[in-house]
Amino acid sequence: GLTRTEFDLLAALSARPQQALSRRQLIDTVWDPAWVGDERLVDVHIGHLRRKLSEDQAAYIDTVRGVGYRMVTP
């Protein structure tokens, strides 16, 4: 199963498929706009989510260099 954070990340990306969201946009949506810290926190959670999604293959998360992440359906 997904953790709450992983589910919220998946929901944020799924709400805007094909649209790249920056780490900051994901932090504002999933954590809190007032959150301050290393934005690579997003990368760690995306990694966990990718591993869990890879079993399903219904959709996957694409890295958009210099921007962030987006949901892609095959």
Side-chain angles (χ1 to χ4, degrees), residues 31-47:
W31 284 270
D32 186 308
W35 187 87
V36 177
D38 191 339
E39 292 185 0
R40 285 177 293 192
L41 167 79
V42 175
D43 302 349
V44 173
H45 288 282
I46 290 285

Side-chain angles (χ1 to χ4, degrees), residues 15-68:
R16 293 180 252 180
Q18 309 295 333
Q19 181 182 339
L21 299 174
S22 69
R23 287 175 184 87
R24 185 73 244 176
Q25 287 174 297
L26 290 168
I27 287 169
D28 290 351
T29 302
V30 174
W31 284 270
D32 186 308
W35 187 87
V36 177
D38 191 339
E39 292 185 0
R40 285 177 293 192
L41 167 79
V42 175
D43 302 349
V44 173
H45 288 282
I46 290 285
H48 295 301
L49 188 53
R50 278 183 168 147
R51 278 192 290 283
K52 291 179 181 181
L53 288 178
S54 69
E55 301 160 13
D56 180 13
Q57 294 298 322
Y60 65 94
I61 299 167
D62 190 28
T63 301
V64 182
R65 285 186 65 83
V67 181

